[in-house]
Amino acid sequence: MNNIEASEKRDYVRVPFKGNVTFRTLTEDEFQAQYQEKENWSESVSRGLISENFEDAKKAGESSVDPNLVRFLLHLEDKLDRILGLLGDKSRNGMEVGSGIDISSSGIKFRTGRPLEEGQHLEMRFVVSRYPIVCLDILGTVTRVIPIYDQGAKQYEVAANLYEFDGQTTEEIMAYAFRVQREALRSKRKQ
């Protein structure tokens, strides 16, 4: 029997991502504060402060925050930001909108009209699934910026790594990647 050795060197699968990426740049202090807050939140989750069994949590005197409610509220906030942007308040929290290019569980690539610098920290929000709704609010750092010209306009292709805190983000992005791959396979079969 032949021994087949894998030659793939990537750890992550990268798939196309056509959604909007809402982002803002962070100073080092803002980044560290948000990083610490997200890290503390994920530690609280892993210690069971968010319980799946709400009645038992209430009896034990623990917090019983529904994770689906948290996700819904984040999505609602994102929708309100979009509505305010459409109404003309584009400077809400300093957020800007870029166009997604591709995504993996370790990073994202998007296009924007303003140059960013390598090493800049970003707070990003984007929706990877409409049903069920999966809106990710995540931190990243710019790793590469390439100027490009699209129909005469100068734009920038930005690659950023993503920081994982709870394991859930990686799972959501991988679920999206598998869904995109399944859809591609189905469309190939139909041709």
Side-chain angles (χ1 to χ4, degrees):
M1 176 144 308
N2 291 340
N3 290 334
I4 300 174
E5 189 172 313
S7 62
E8 184 65 45
K9 295 180 181 176
R10 293 181 299 174
D11 291 330
Y12 303 101
V13 176
R14 186 167 290 280
V15 295
F17 177 68
K18 301 300 179 197
N20 286 337
V21 178
T22 306
F23 69 95
R24 74 178 179 109
T25 57
L26 300 173
T27 65
E28 185 65 33
D29 291 338
E30 290 173 325
F31 174 76
Q32 292 300 330
Q34 284 200 23
Y35 188 93
Q36 191 63 42
E37 180 181 322
K38 289 182 183 297
E39 198 169 56
N40 291 341
W41 171 257
S42 69
E43 287 175 10
S44 298
V45 171
S46 67
R47 280 189 246 138
L49 294 180
I50 296 180
S51 175
E52 295 292 325
N53 188 340
F54 302 115
E55 294 305 316
D56 290 345
K58 286 179 186 175
K59 288 177 187 173
E62 296 176 357
S63 173
S64 58
V65 178
D66 183 353
N68 292 322
L69 176 62
V70 172
R71 190 173 288 153
F72 172 75
L73 292 174
L74 286 172
H75 172 67
L76 184 61
E77 179 186 23
D78 183 49
K79 289 288 188 189
L80 290 172
D81 284 345
R82 289 181 187 190
I83 290 170
L84 287 172
L86 291 172
L87 293 174
D89 183 11
K90 302 217 183 280
S91 64
R92 180 168 164 81
N93 293 331
M95 299 297 267
E96 300 175 52
V97 178
S99 302
I101 297 173
D102 61 31
I103 192 169
S104 75
S105 57
S106 67
I108 188 167
K109 196 182 317 175
F110 62 94
R111 189 175 288 181
T112 182
R114 149 173 114 80
L116 298 174
E117 296 177 17
E118 289 184 19
Q120 272 187 313
H121 299 297
L122 302 174
E123 173 187 11
M124 295 177 277
R125 291 186 187 138
F126 48 90
V127 176
V128 292
S129 175
R130 294 273 179 217
Y131 184 80
I133 185 68
V134 178
C135 179
L136 298 179
D137 184 6
I138 193 161
L139 298 176
T141 301
V142 175
T143 57
R144 185 178 64 243
V145 179
I146 301 172
I148 55 174
Y149 293 90
D150 186 18
Q151 300 173 355
K154 189 171 185 179
Q155 299 221 327
Y156 299 88
E157 188 175 280
V158 177
N161 68 343
L162 302 176
Y163 292 98
E164 175 65 54
F165 294 96
D166 58 1
Q168 187 67 29
T169 301
T170 298
E171 288 179 26
E172 299 291 0
I173 293 173
M174 292 307 295
Y176 170 78
F178 291 141
R179 189 169 47 255
V180 168
Q181 289 176 332
R182 282 193 305 271
E183 289 170 4
L185 288 172
R186 285 185 193 127
S187 67
K188 277 186 178 180
R189 287 184 195 149
K190 289 180 182 178
Q191 293 177 356

